[in-house]
Amino acid sequence: MRLVLKNIGSLLIAEQEPTSWVSGKEMSSVNALSDAWLVIENGKIACFGEGEVIPFTDDEVLDCEAGIVMPAFCDSHTHLVYAGSREQEYEDKIRGLSYEEIALRGGGILNSAKLLSNTSENELYEQSLPRAYEIIRSGTGAVEIKSGYGLNTRDELKMLRVIRRLAEETELTIRASFLGAHAVPANFKSDPDKYVRLVIEEMIPAVAEENLADFIDVFCDRGFFTVEQTDRILEAGLKHGMVPKIHANELDYSGGVQVGVKYQARSVDHLEFVGEEELIALKKSETMPTILPGASLFLGLSYAPARKMIEAGLPVALASDYNPGSSPSGNMELVMSLGIIQLKMLPFEVLNAVTRNGAYAMGLEETHGSLTPGKVANLIITEPISGFAFMPYAYGSSQINKVILNGKIQ
Ligand code: NIG
Ligand code: FE
């Protein structure tokens, strides 16, 4: 059975051949067809074109009413499996405590770990599922989800099993990252290296045994994990078939970018602190620099120097960082607005950053991120807006009319 989309005002990132990413000057251009149609067959994009389409008699036809059709968002960095919430810390921040001060008092990630430890796997799934549906409604089709609120073998496995269940039960394409090295638990404070050994010797083999993670992640930053510890953890993850992806340079020039590049990380994420050395390291790599402007907004941090990166010829991906502590939102339309307002990116630069560059950051560039024949039919149909730029311009209100995932209207 085919689904034919007709009366498309503008079809964006429509390409016959897939490109793995776009960088530098190319980031501001997008292949667009006007007055277009697109055919979906067996959950995949079959073909598209301009002008009139003549459907077969048993085709299902959807009139897009002159809206824009574009790839669904590829959100390459989230922590959307978590227990409870942390609005108390939100208030503490308003009263003047920093993210690091809250963490030092046993709040922050350790607070979420305590809540998660008292939550059963089933209950964790029940709490996380509405967030999965929420991001689907907001136009996300592929998402990366991290563990990292377990901080012991039992609870890390619990999180990763919930992530797997979300992948089985929803239309989202999900990639999982093992982030045991998210914070040092309180009972290891006097000997953080002992915790690193636990991650390497017990957790990574257990995660690999159940084949629960595509990626290995480390929070390599001031007050969290050092470059040397990150080095060892990435090496152990790689030995077990997990590809590195790093939290780097959110709080300082941590060396996280360089260690990520050394291990050919798929992406290095956050990047509020990026100087010449980091730019040079990234230029020589195939690592996707990924910016999370929601975390900068929510924590009142400085913003990553996106313009400098793009002008240096680098690619940039944008992701939501959906998590209870630094960015409790998975709304990619808002992420695009922040990309423009705060990162000074152009509308088509943010569009590329939340679609194909995000897909690359998850290793999904061959199946997601553009409207290319053979790729998964994950797409967004907008209201009949004047042009793509209206979507991030009208921040805080959604311009999405319909979301189609795996060829099915959601
Ligand atoms: O990406 N920076 C580290 N980890 C998360 C925040 C986690 C939390 O505060 O719960 C992030 O911002
Ligand atoms: Fe994160």
Side-chain angles (χ1 to χ4, degrees), residues 77 79 86 99 109 149 182 219 247 250 270 321 323 325-326:
H77 182 137
H79 311 242
R86 299 195 342 237
Y99 183 73
I109 295 166
Y149 294 122
H182 197 190
F219 189 8
H247 280 74
E250 176 185 7
H270 272 293
D321 199 15
N323 78 74
S326 67

Side-chain angles (χ1 to χ4, degrees), residues 75-96:
D75 189 353
S76 63
H77 182 137
T78 81
H79 311 242
L80 71 77
V81 168
Y82 58 83
S85 58
R86 299 195 342 237
E87 58 273 30
Q88 176 55 49
E89 293 168 18
Y90 176 58
E91 286 185 39
D92 292 343
K93 258 172 244 142
I94 303 302
R95 295 204 172 90

Side-chain angles (χ1 to χ4, degrees), residues 19 25 52-53 67 72-73 148 171 191 208 216 250 282 289 303 373 410:
T19 31
K25 284 195 180 69
E52 192 73 19
V53 59
F73 300 126
E171 295 292 343
D191 189 1
I216 175 88
E250 176 185 7
L282 286 165
Y303 284 83
Q410 299 301 298

